[in-house]
Amino acid sequence: MAVRAQFENNNEIGVFSKLTNSYCLVAIGGSENFYSVFEGELGDVVPVVHTSIAGTRIIGRLTAGNRRGLLVPNSTTDQELQHLRNSLPDSVAIQRIEERLSALGNVIACNDYVALVHPDLDRETEEIIADVLGVEVFRQTIADNVLVGSYCAISNQGGLVHPRTSLQDQDELSSLLQVPLVAGTVNRGSDVIGGGLVVNDWTAFAGLDTTSTELSVVESIFKLHDSQPSAIVNDMRDSLIDNYS
């Protein structure tokens, strides 16, 4: 199910949080309401970790990760790194990366199997991504934007990309990722998808300005309807009708 949230009156929640299938990072210092939204949805399933990266709160833009690993920029302090190692599950590998394009969340978009990266990323960084996250790496642009992490959100179920992405590009990206894609917006027409939306295989969080139409597109492409009580009730009703007919 998709949920709306806001970080200190800011709708760009993808800037202040990072969500995967095995952990969730949220920036320190925001209102308690922001954390409670995440902890309410995820608390029993995956750890919700409060952290900063390089002393800043823009953790969603500085980090990249999936259920197997987390990549952090070279500017991450030893204390932050140790805190992450202590808080995240042992199965998650954490790697600090020496990279010129240090906002890793802007230049890497990944799910548990494939990563799309900025065309100018270092060859060495590309190898680390493949190694730590256990993914295939493709250098790509989205609607001619090199910041692939900013202009799309992908999970193992589907993906949302920049509204100006051509059909040809969508087909190409979809065949690389092996998931269905749709072009769309969040936060009432914002094309910075990665900034306004975080998603994993069973839930999504979008900025508070996101319209119900945008939210329904998100729920449909990421196949989040199944986790809604209404879907379960409908399934039960169908099966009851089948039994008694």
Side-chain angles (χ1 to χ4, degrees):
M1 181 177 159
V3 183
R4 294 185 184 96
Q6 203 171 35
F7 184 90
E8 292 186 355
N9 294 330
N10 193 321
N11 290 301
E12 304 293 327
I13 62 163
V15 172
F16 303 103
S17 59
K18 174 66 66 183
L19 177 63
T20 72
N21 288 329
S22 59
Y23 58 87
C24 174
L25 307 181
V26 290
I28 50 177
S31 64
E32 209 46 48
N33 187 28
F34 184 67
Y35 305 129
S36 59
V37 170
F38 281 88
E39 279 164 0
E41 286 289 315
L42 304 166
D44 311 334
V45 192
V46 297
V48 180
V49 181
H50 300 202
T51 186
S52 62
I53 297 287
T56 69
R57 301 193 294 182
I58 53 169
I59 59 170
R61 299 299 86 209
L62 294 181
T63 61
N66 62 13
R67 71 181 162 87
R68 294 188 196 88
L70 174 67
L71 305 174
V72 296
N74 201 41
S75 48
T76 309
T77 65
D78 293 342
Q79 194 179 357
E80 288 163 345
L81 204 59
Q82 195 54 54
H83 168 58
L84 287 168
R85 287 193 203 284
N86 293 340
S87 309
L88 295 184
D90 293 339
S91 58
V92 177
I94 304 173
Q95 177 74 42
R96 201 158 30 182
I97 289 190
E98 185 95 42
E99 165 64 52
R100 184 176 58 87
L101 303 166
S102 60
L104 302 174
N106 286 339
V107 295
I108 303 168
C110 63
N111 61 16
D112 293 339
Y113 305 102
V114 181
L116 306 177
V117 303
H118 189 297
D120 299 337
L121 214 65
D122 286 351
R123 177 77 54 201
E124 195 178 323
T125 304
E126 189 183 327
E127 287 169 12
I128 294 171
I129 294 168
D131 196 32
V132 174
L133 302 184
V135 292
E136 279 189 88
V137 181
F138 299 102
R139 291 171 187 265
Q140 277 293 335
T141 59
I142 290 179
D144 296 330
N145 288 297
V146 287
L147 297 178
V148 288
S150 303
Y151 291 105
C152 78
I154 54 177
S155 75
N156 300 329
Q157 310 289 335
L160 186 67
V161 295
H162 188 290
R164 295 232 168 92
T165 313
S166 67
L167 285 172
Q168 187 182 350
D169 283 359
Q170 283 180 49
D171 289 345
E172 186 184 339
L173 291 168
S174 183
S175 66
L176 287 179
L177 295 164
Q178 295 292 299
V179 295
L181 293 182
V182 70
T185 58
V186 291
N187 284 332
R188 210 180 292 270
S190 164
D191 51 18
V192 189
I193 310 290
L197 178 72
V198 289
V199 62
N200 68 9
D201 285 357
W202 67 88
T203 189
F205 299 89
L208 205 61
D209 274 356
T210 304
T211 64
S212 54
T213 311
E214 288 169 337
L215 221 53
S216 67
V217 169
V218 167
E219 289 188 338
S220 133
I221 193 65
F222 291 113
K223 302 184 173 63
L224 303 175
H225 289 297
D226 302 341
S227 56
Q228 285 183 305
S230 61
I232 296 162
V233 171
N234 289 339
D235 285 350
M236 287 166 63
R237 189 179 294 135
D238 290 346
S239 60
L240 283 169
I241 290 166
D242 287 346
N243 285 344
Y244 290 114
S245 58

